[in-house]
């Protein structure tokens, strides 16, 4: 095992090296590299990297990444428990799958709090009222870049050590971007497009109806393919059903390269 994986785990500056390697290998475009080249991004991304590559014994790895919205409108809309339940539903679905030992899970809230850096499923902390307070803003673009940068960095760690890796990511929001200070939709799209081009990543998004936002337009501008966009209504039943749809896709992704390819091609309609 190379020293790169150890140093990456320990030092935020090594995140930059991972991105430079990805760029050199053609995985990361100049636009994607620029979107990720923000001064303090390395520390934010490092906080999510979690388990060391050399501590994972699986011959291939699946990274499942979820970004629950913790903005105030989630609370005022009465969705706090439903979002917790949805996150935990995804976890339970993966725990019940035959390939669970090769799955690592990462939870980062929309405003940047890392509940779960990448870790084995049996170690994942569930969302509940004591660790989830929906009372903040909506820095959707800024944090989408951080989250997707974490996905890219962790997958680069594994592939750089000869371990095949596939990823599936879900962004969740109940409103359009309001509080990003650095990134724009096109910056997110640059990273999403690079991940899609690598053909071992799926980026999905869920827009919980707020009565006014055109989530399909918002997510398309962020580079998410139409077939990977969920737009549930405002009822708990509709939101839970959307999480169930995502969980089914995440389980299929864990079932091997062929299953991943079919799932990636078909989207949520698969």
């Amino acid at each position: 095992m190379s020293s790169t994986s150890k140093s990456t785990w320990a030092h935020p500056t090594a995140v930059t090296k991972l991105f430079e390697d990805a760029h050199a290998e053609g995985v990361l475009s100049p636009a994607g590299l620029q979107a990720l080249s923000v001064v303090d991004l390395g520390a934010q991304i490092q906080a999510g990297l979690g388990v060391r590559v050399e501590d994972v014994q699986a011959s291939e790895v699946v990274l499942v990444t979820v970004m629950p919205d913790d903005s105030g409108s989630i609370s005022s809309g009465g969705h706090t428990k439903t979002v917790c339940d949805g996150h935990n539903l995804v976890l339970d679905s993966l725990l019940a799958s035959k390939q669970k030992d090769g799955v690592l899970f990462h939870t980062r809230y929309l405003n940047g709090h890392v509940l779960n850096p990448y870790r084995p499923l049996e170690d994942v902390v569930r969302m509940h009222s004591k660790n989830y307070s929906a009372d903040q803003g909506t820095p959707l673009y800024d944090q989408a870049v951080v989250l997707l940068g974490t996905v890219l960095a962790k997958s680069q760690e594994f592939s750089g050590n000869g371990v095949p890796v596939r990823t599936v990511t879900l962004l969740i929001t109940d409103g359009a971007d309001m509080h990003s200070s650095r990134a724009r939709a096109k910056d997110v799209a640059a990273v999403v497009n690079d991940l899609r081009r690598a053909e071992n990543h799926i980026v999905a998004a869920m827009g919980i109806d707020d009565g006014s936002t055109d989530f399909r337009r918002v997510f398309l501008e962020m580079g998410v393919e139409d077939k990977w966009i969920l737009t549930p209504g405002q009822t708990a039943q509709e939101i839970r059903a959307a999480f169930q749809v995502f969980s089914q896709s995440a389980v299929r992704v864990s079932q091997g390269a062929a299953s991943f390819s079919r799932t990636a091609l078909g989207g949520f309609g698969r």
Side-chain angles (χ1 to χ4, degrees):
M1 195 64 68
S2 74
S3 60
T4 306
S5 60
K6 293 183 180 180
S7 62
T8 300
W9 186 81
H11 302 294
T13 50
V15 172
T16 303
K17 177 67 164 59
L18 285 172
F19 292 152
E20 289 172 351
D21 289 348
H23 179 56
E25 294 166 15
V27 174
L28 198 55
S29 67
L33 183 62
Q34 184 176 358
L36 293 166
S37 298
V38 177
V39 176
D40 65 344
L41 215 58
Q44 293 183 64
I45 288 172
Q46 193 273 337
L49 292 181
V51 65
R52 298 172 186 247
V53 170
E54 59 265 35
D55 292 336
V56 177
Q57 302 304 314
S59 58
E60 56 180 41
V61 170
V62 173
L63 305 179
V64 178
T65 309
V66 182
M67 187 179 78
D69 187 348
D70 59 345
S71 65
S73 53
I74 287 286
S75 178
S76 61
H79 301 317
T80 303
K81 183 179 185 301
T82 307
V83 171
C84 289
D85 290 347
H87 170 274
N88 299 339
L89 169 70
V90 176
L91 175 60
D92 286 337
S93 298
L94 291 163
L95 280 166
S97 69
K98 293 178 181 178
Q99 289 78 17
K100 63 182 180 181
D101 292 342
V103 179
L104 298 178
F105 200 97
H106 172 37
T107 313
R108 183 191 295 265
Y109 295 161
L110 176 56
N111 283 273
H113 174 72
V114 175
L115 179 65
N116 292 295
Y118 282 112
R119 54 175 47 138
L121 293 175
E122 63 267 22
D123 297 333
V124 172
V125 176
R126 293 172 180 274
M127 284 178 62
H128 50 73
S129 59
K130 298 289 196 299
N131 61 28
Y132 174 61
S133 298
D135 56 5
Q136 300 193 59
T138 310
L140 180 60
Y141 303 149
D142 280 359
Q143 283 301 314
V145 168
V146 172
L147 187 83
L148 295 170
T150 309
V151 173
L152 180 63
K154 197 65 184 176
S155 63
Q156 189 71 17
E157 271 192 321
F158 280 107
S159 61
N161 283 278
V163 181
V165 58
R166 300 181 299 279
T167 82
V168 57
T169 302
L170 179 65
L171 312 174
I172 305 160
T173 184
D174 72 341
D177 183 278
M178 292 183 66
H179 301 104
S180 289
S181 59
R182 295 187 178 91
R184 291 173 288 178
K186 70 174 187 178
D187 299 311
V188 182
V191 182
V192 172
N193 290 337
D194 286 349
L195 291 171
R196 279 171 46 193
R197 198 176 65 248
E199 297 185 342
N200 60 334
H201 303 277
I202 291 171
V203 180
M206 181 191 302
I208 300 172
D209 185 22
D210 65 350
S212 60
T213 302
D214 182 350
F215 286 108
R216 209 161 284 280
R217 180 186 62 78
V218 169
F219 294 139
L220 288 171
E221 288 179 354
M222 293 167 65
V224 180
E225 293 177 280
D226 187 74
K227 63 187 177 184
W228 287 113
I229 295 173
L230 292 165
T231 54
Q234 297 177 339
T235 70
Q237 183 178 9
E238 290 170 300
I239 298 166
R240 285 196 184 98
F243 274 106
Q244 180 66 47
V245 169
F246 174 77
S247 71
Q248 291 166 353
S249 294
V251 168
R252 284 196 293 268
V253 165
S254 74
Q255 291 171 342
S259 181
F260 174 89
S261 297
R262 290 193 299 271
T263 304
L265 192 63
F268 285 126
R270 159 71 174 82

